[in-house]
Amino acid sequence: MAGTDKQQDMLAEGPAIILVEPQLGENIGMVARAMANFGLAELRLVSPRDGWPNEKARAAASRADHVIDAATVFETPADAVADLNFVLATTARPRDNFKPVRGPVEAAADLRNRFATGQKTGILFGRERWGLTNEEVALADEIVTFPVNPAFASLNIAQAVLLMSYEWIKTGDQAVRPPDSTLEPAEKLHIESLMGYLDRVLDERGYFRTEDKKPKMMENLRALFTRPGFTVEELAVLRGVLTSLEKFSPKNPRGSGAPDRG
């Protein structure tokens, strides 16, 4: 019984593996098998093309039924990462944004430290054919890339998950460094709430100037607010400052009565 309990503890460890719009059930099954090989168990699926549950996925999982049975389905990548404190995005090509880029060894070591201090983490993997969009990468805190042959850089999704899962289990005996802060990093839902607020108030004030520039400008803003790893308390302070700028003015400062709604 003790051995079984230990195995279950191992299965509860580690980052969530998040597949964005996976296509073939067989690919999902091979991902589940790779996760089980290296002690990962939390699989999140964003709008799987062929629906869920999927018997082809179960067959390809080769008895990794605990991963298949516990898999959860989300409508959007933002929903899938909403409760996480820290997210990595896997990508094979350079991105025009402000996010740090890590190799799998360094990224896995950082995930282990975050996990050991109670943070909820996840790794985003893109579609089999063309990966993640820039908007989806913007949801993450950092980018992880694999050192592959540039003349043949294509990895299938199960291979990519296998590499990160392998690097994860290798970190199991590493010394855990103390956290940089005693405050818990904000979950992604807090970031998305702030982004929704900024979208509204900046749009009302003509910040985006032309509609075609808005997606890129919002992407840059999201990268700005995910990079530092804000805590919930820090986001609350920032939100309070922005709300005051929205509601009050030099002629009608805070404390002078209700703000002018006109």
Side-chain angles (χ1 to χ4, degrees):
M1 180 64 71
T4 300
D5 291 343
K6 183 176 181 181
Q7 289 175 342
Q8 292 303 317
D9 289 342
M10 285 185 65
L11 294 177
E13 286 191 353
I17 299 298
I18 307 158
L19 308 184
V20 178
E21 296 181 1
Q23 296 180 2
L24 299 176
E26 292 89 341
N27 288 347
I28 299 173
M30 287 187 287
V31 164
R33 181 178 182 177
M35 292 170 60
N37 286 153
F38 299 105
L40 297 179
E42 186 177 359
L43 177 60
R44 302 184 180 192
L45 307 174
V46 178
S47 298
R49 185 190 67 181
D50 295 337
W52 195 259
N54 187 302
E55 287 308 311
K56 290 183 178 179
R58 184 177 298 277
S62 188
R63 297 190 300 279
D65 292 336
H66 61 284
V67 179
I68 295 295
D69 291 339
T72 50
V73 178
F74 299 83
E75 290 188 5
T76 69
D79 292 338
V81 304
D83 65 324
L84 303 180
N85 303 115
F86 182 84
V87 176
L88 288 171
T90 59
T91 177
R93 61 184 187 275
R95 302 282 181 156
D96 180 21
N97 56 37
F98 310 112
K99 296 185 184 299
V101 179
R102 312 290 186 200
V105 175
E106 183 184 7
D110 185 48
L111 285 175
R112 177 68 68 175
N113 277 294
R114 292 177 183 277
F115 174 81
T117 55
Q119 294 185 35
K120 294 177 289 184
T121 64
I123 311 173
L124 275 172
F125 294 85
R127 301 154 188 83
E128 289 93 333
R129 291 189 176 182
W130 47 278
L132 297 166
T133 66
N134 287 339
E135 291 77 12
E136 290 160 353
V137 171
L139 294 170
D141 298 274
E142 297 182 0
I143 291 171
V144 59
T145 60
F146 304 113
V148 295
N149 177 7
F152 194 75
S154 176
L155 283 177
N156 70 41
I157 193 169
Q159 289 173 322
V161 172
L162 181 77
L163 282 172
M164 283 305 301
S165 301
Y166 172 66
E167 294 300 340
W168 162 261
I169 205 169
K170 281 171 55 181
T171 65
D173 296 326
Q174 76 175 28
V176 177
R177 57 179 170 80
D180 296 330
S181 171
T182 58
L183 299 176
E184 182 179 353
E187 296 177 358
K188 296 306 172 192
L189 62 90
H190 296 107
I191 299 290
E192 287 306 300
S193 175
L194 177 63
M195 295 308 302
Y197 171 77
L198 286 173
D199 189 338
R200 177 180 64 81
V201 297
L202 293 176
D203 198 44
E204 290 173 350
R205 286 153 181 79
Y207 174 78
F208 300 111
R209 294 184 296 279
T210 59
E211 193 65 25
D212 63 306
K213 294 183 179 180
K214 180 178 176 179
K216 182 61 178 177
M217 296 174 78
M218 285 298 296
E219 180 185 324
N220 289 341
L221 282 171
R222 182 175 275 103
L224 175 66
F225 287 114
T226 53
R227 182 173 54 167
F230 285 108
T231 66
V232 174
E233 292 82 1
E234 290 167 338
L235 286 178
V237 170
L238 179 59
R239 183 70 169 261
V241 170
L242 294 172
T243 300
S244 291
L245 291 174
E246 177 194 9
K247 291 183 177 180
F248 300 98
S249 69
K251 293 182 179 180
N252 185 29
R254 187 169 185 169
S256 62
D260 183 5
R261 298 293 183 182

